[in-house]
Structures are given as structure tokens and as C-alpha cells.
Amino acid sequence: MGAATQYATGKRKVAIARVTRTLATLIACGVPILEGLRMTARAAGNRIVENTIMQTRSALAAGRTLTEPLRGRVGLPAMVVQMVNVGEQTGSMEEMLTKVADFYDDEVDATVASLTTLLEPVIIVFLGVIIGGLVIAMYLPIFKMGSVI
């Protein structure tokens, strides 16, 4: 997987983690689900996820379940929909959303660690070339003066 793809996937994972953790916290605090979804959509930080949350809110206000509008959405993994469905059926929505948020936070941490691991050798080579260039630029005039004498 290329760096650009990992970056885009990482951004989506961050948005999902933020949305699920925010909604779990709001539910735990006793905020009504429609108001919680509205606030969560604002905090998403991703237009696609924000639109999905707002459409879900509209469907929920119309009497549908929370899971129905989430099924088949682009950018929303099936695991998230399954966890929301389980939370909705068992009445433990806060716990399921927290588990999803924890999972995606771990995934983001792993992605950042792998990108950092890939970036370290590039930085070392870059700094080596820069420092080598500076050393050559300093000593080349000295060597030229020695050959003139």
C-alpha cells in the first residue's frame, strides 16, 4: 500500500474514531440521540462522514433504525455498521461505539508507526547528503589552495 493510500485510509480511520468516540461520550452523558448525532456530525472533520451522519439522523427522525441508513455507505466499513447494529439491539450502544473508537485509534497508531518506520531511512539519507555536501563545500577550497602552492 502506498504512502498516499495509507494517508487517505488513516484520515478516514481518524474520522471514524472521532465520530464514534464523540457519540459514545454524548450518549453516556444522556444527550438525546438526535442531538448527539447533530453534534457528532459537526465534529467529524470529514465531509463524507458528516453527510453520512446527517442522513442517518434524518432517517432516525423518520422512524428508521440507526443501522439501516449506515448499510452500504461509501467510506464506512462494515464492521462499524455491525457494531452499531449489535449496540442498538442489545442496548449497549455506548460500549460498542467505544470499542469501535478504540479499535480505530489502535489502527491509526499502527499506521503512523509504519509510516514513521518507512520515513526514517529517507531522512537519514537526506541528512547524509546535506552534511556531506557541506563538508565537501568547506574542504574543497582548502584542497584547491594546497594544489596551487
Side-chain angles (χ1 to χ4, degrees):
M1 188 181 320
T5 306
Q6 280 187 337
Y7 177 73
T9 304
K11 281 184 70 170
R12 185 180 67 191
K13 288 177 182 179
V14 167
I16 291 170
R18 181 182 301 141
V19 162
T20 54
R21 187 159 321 276
T22 302
L23 188 57
T25 303
L26 290 171
I27 290 171
C29 292
V31 175
I33 189 76
L34 290 176
E35 184 65 21
L37 286 171
R38 187 182 58 76
M39 287 192 266
T40 300
R42 289 184 186 166
N46 183 322
R47 282 282 189 213
I48 295 170
V49 174
E50 181 180 348
N51 291 338
T52 299
I53 300 269
M54 289 309 287
Q55 290 170 357
T56 301
R57 182 182 182 276
S58 299
L60 192 62
R64 295 170 57 196
T65 65
L66 189 61
T67 309
E68 287 176 35
L70 295 178
R71 291 192 197 280
R73 288 287 179 181
V74 175
L76 198 61
M79 193 255 316
V80 174
V81 177
Q82 292 283 353
M83 294 292 276
V84 168
N85 188 25
V86 169
E88 196 171 29
Q89 290 177 358
T90 61
S92 60
M93 183 68 77
E94 172 196 347
E95 183 181 332
M96 289 298 142
L97 289 172
T98 302
K99 286 183 181 183
V100 170
D102 290 341
F103 174 78
Y104 279 104
D105 281 339
D106 291 343
E107 288 286 315
V108 168
D109 290 343
T111 302
V112 168
S114 69
L115 286 175
T116 303
T117 302
L118 292 173
L119 198 59
E120 284 175 2
V122 173
I123 291 172
I124 290 171
V125 168
F126 176 74
L127 287 175
V129 168
I130 295 294
I131 292 171
L134 287 173
V135 168
I136 291 172
M138 283 184 351
Y139 284 112
L140 193 60
I142 295 172
F143 292 143
K144 283 188 179 180
M145 282 182 18
S147 66
V148 170
I149 296 178

